[in-house]
Amino acid sequence: MSNLSRRSVLSLGAALGLAGVASTAAPAWAWSPAGSVAGTGTGADPWQVWDDPVDGLLAALLDNGQVPAVNTALASWANNNDPLPGGLPAALAAHLQQAAALPSWADRAKLRLAADFNRRKDTYLFMLYGLGSGIMSTVIPREAASVYWSAGGANMKDRAAKTFTFGYDLSELTAYEPTGQFVVTANKTRLVHAAVRHLLPQSSHWQATTDTQIPISNGDILVTFHSLGTFVHRKLLEWRVPMTAAEEEAFLHMWQVAIHLLGVRDEFIPKTWADANAQSAYALTPILAPTTEGKALAKDLLGLTAQVDLGVTRGFLNEFVRYVLNDKIGDWLSLPRDYAAATLVRTGWPTYIAFREGLLPVLPVGFYMFDQFVRALAMLFLNNGTSPASTTIVIPTANRPGA
């Protein structure tokens, strides 16, 4: 673990800014692009930057009724080395031909190291992405409103599966290789974002709950990155999961390339974990807050576990969420307390990690319960418990029914 990474670690409460949240609005942008992968910038505010070429393209496809045919054509496009399917509008085909390529600064050696790291640490990543980042998204007001009022918010099991398998594709050994799928997944997701930007402003319900006129700006995607990559990296350090400096750097690089593929300008993408932590404290920390939409989404997400036997009680699940995030977020989401389960989680999870990492010679009590919990949670969200061979991503043509 690098000394820089150690110095960058903040306590979770401080990192999430759970004391004295003053505003849910995005702050005025003052983060220096000198800390970005580009090393320089235009001085633009990422909360005022969207994805203009793609946004115009999807708006035209939606207005012309072409999206159903596009979805049909794109259904067969899965692997990174697959040729673009026929039948796509010329403008869309031209965009995808250019966009489905890694940036010039991508380092394949780092991406392969990140893939191997993901394979070896998948247990912790499942838990952190699913019960950490997934639930944290419900207290990011803009994200919660956009999810709730878009088409995906009406079927959270399906949306959770797609979101989880997005992370699965990113974490696969072949994610960025020709036979992998993440480059295609990212580009399909970028198209979905553009469609949502056109559709949500037509919803009076969404307009009444947000402080922006257009959703999913570059700033919003950065916030999502910090609730995923930056948060997970910080928790791995906090949980004392062994990592080399090279592995930490590779894990960040994997995310840098991912958000580039989602249309974020390079001048906004943090260059180091120190830069990412600084940006996260600036961009994510001040905006966390409960909302009506977020509470409903959290209830839906946690309620999904009632449909599958995870081998634990609902109290255990609630307390694990509180452990991974914070009691403040647990209170915001009205998660009932179960103090016996809380004790089990807070004493059992560290020993579970220590045994898995070879730091504890004796199998700890409760090991198999935690192991079953992790595996069941993963399968719950991986394509609704079916094969994770591909992520079905469909461009929406409408908002949530009634929106």
Side-chain angles (χ1 to χ4, degrees):
M1 185 187 304
S2 69
N3 290 331
L4 175 61
S5 296
R6 290 184 186 278
R7 292 196 297 269
S8 299
V9 179
L10 307 173
S11 70
L12 187 57
L16 295 182
L18 298 180
V21 175
S23 172
T24 61
W29 189 252
W31 187 78
S32 172
S36 71
V37 295
T40 187
T42 63
D45 181 340
W47 277 289
Q48 299 301 318
V49 174
W50 289 273
D51 201 349
D52 293 343
V54 184
D55 290 347
L57 177 60
L58 263 293
L61 293 176
L62 284 163
D63 291 343
N64 294 333
Q66 294 174 276
V67 168
V70 167
N71 280 328
T72 298
L74 288 177
S76 64
W77 191 43
N79 292 339
N80 298 335
N81 62 355
D82 284 347
L84 282 176
L88 294 175
L92 177 59
H95 160 71
L96 292 175
Q97 194 69 49
Q98 174 273 326
L102 300 186
S104 60
W105 45 264
D107 185 324
R108 286 198 176 274
K110 289 182 180 179
L111 294 176
R112 291 182 181 120
L113 177 57
D116 182 65
F117 175 77
N118 289 331
R119 175 187 61 81
R120 289 182 286 107
K121 308 301 181 183
D122 61 356
T123 296
Y124 319 126
L125 297 178
F126 278 141
M127 300 303 288
L128 289 171
Y129 286 143
L131 293 182
S133 304
I135 302 302
M136 191 197 302
S137 71
T138 69
V139 293
I140 300 174
R142 283 189 180 180
E143 184 168 346
S146 294
V147 170
Y148 185 86
W149 292 110
S150 64
N155 186 343
M156 283 307 295
K157 184 173 184 179
D158 180 67
R159 189 185 190 281
K162 289 175 180 176
T163 301
F164 203 83
T165 45
F166 176 94
Y168 184 92
D169 286 352
L170 176 60
S171 300
E172 272 280 76
L173 273 172
T174 59
Y176 288 103
E177 300 295 327
T179 56
Q181 298 186 341
F182 182 74
V183 176
V184 170
T185 294
N187 273 278
K188 287 184 178 182
T189 302
R190 187 176 177 182
L191 298 181
V192 170
H193 287 172
V196 170
R197 291 190 199 101
H198 184 63
L199 293 168
L200 268 186
Q202 302 172 31
S203 165
S204 60
H205 295 280
W206 176 80
Q207 290 177 349
T209 63
T210 187
D211 59 358
T212 185
Q213 295 183 336
I214 305 173
I216 319 180
S217 66
N218 268 206
D220 295 319
I221 296 175
L222 287 170
V223 167
T224 300
F225 154 64
H226 291 305
S227 74
L228 290 160
T230 307
F231 165 75
V232 166
H233 174 253
R234 187 182 294 127
K235 291 298 293 186
L236 291 175
L237 292 173
E238 182 182 315
W239 287 352
R240 302 180 184 275
V241 174
M243 295 182 289
T244 67
E247 287 170 339
E248 291 184 61
E249 185 178 350
F251 186 69
L252 173 60
H253 190 65
M254 173 194 76
W255 275 106
Q256 290 168 333
V257 177
I259 56 179
H260 169 92
L261 291 174
L262 290 176
V264 175
R265 293 184 185 177
D266 290 353
E267 67 182 282
F268 302 138
I269 300 175
K271 178 169 53 180
T272 67
W273 279 123
D275 295 317
N277 280 317
Q279 191 185 82
S280 177
Y282 173 73
L284 173 64
T285 294
I287 66 172
L288 295 174
T291 62
T292 300
E293 290 81 9
K295 290 179 180 178
L297 293 175
K299 182 178 179 181
D300 284 348
L301 285 171
L302 292 172
L304 291 175
T305 61
Q307 302 175 32
V308 176
D309 179 12
L310 301 185
V312 299
T313 65
R314 178 60 185 267
F316 179 95
L317 178 65
N318 290 344
E319 291 298 339
F320 203 97
V321 171
R322 286 177 175 271
Y323 173 68
V324 172
L325 294 175
N326 188 280
D327 280 334
K328 184 67 173 180
I329 290 180
D331 292 343
W332 281 347
L333 299 176
S334 302
L335 301 182
R337 297 307 310 259
D338 183 329
Y339 292 102
T343 299
L344 177 60
V345 169
R346 294 172 190 274
T347 59
W349 185 249
T351 60
Y352 173 80
I353 291 176
F355 182 78
R356 284 187 60 90
E357 295 297 328
L359 304 176
L360 188 68
V362 179
L363 185 74
V365 175
F367 177 88
Y368 290 113
M369 183 198 67
F370 280 106
D371 214 43
Q372 179 185 0
F373 179 48
V374 172
R375 295 174 187 277
L377 184 74
M379 288 311 299
L380 170 63
F381 291 120
L382 286 175
N383 280 345
N384 293 306
T386 61
S387 170
S390 63
T391 304
T392 303
I393 297 177
V394 177
I395 301 170
T397 57
N399 293 315
R400 182 188 184 102

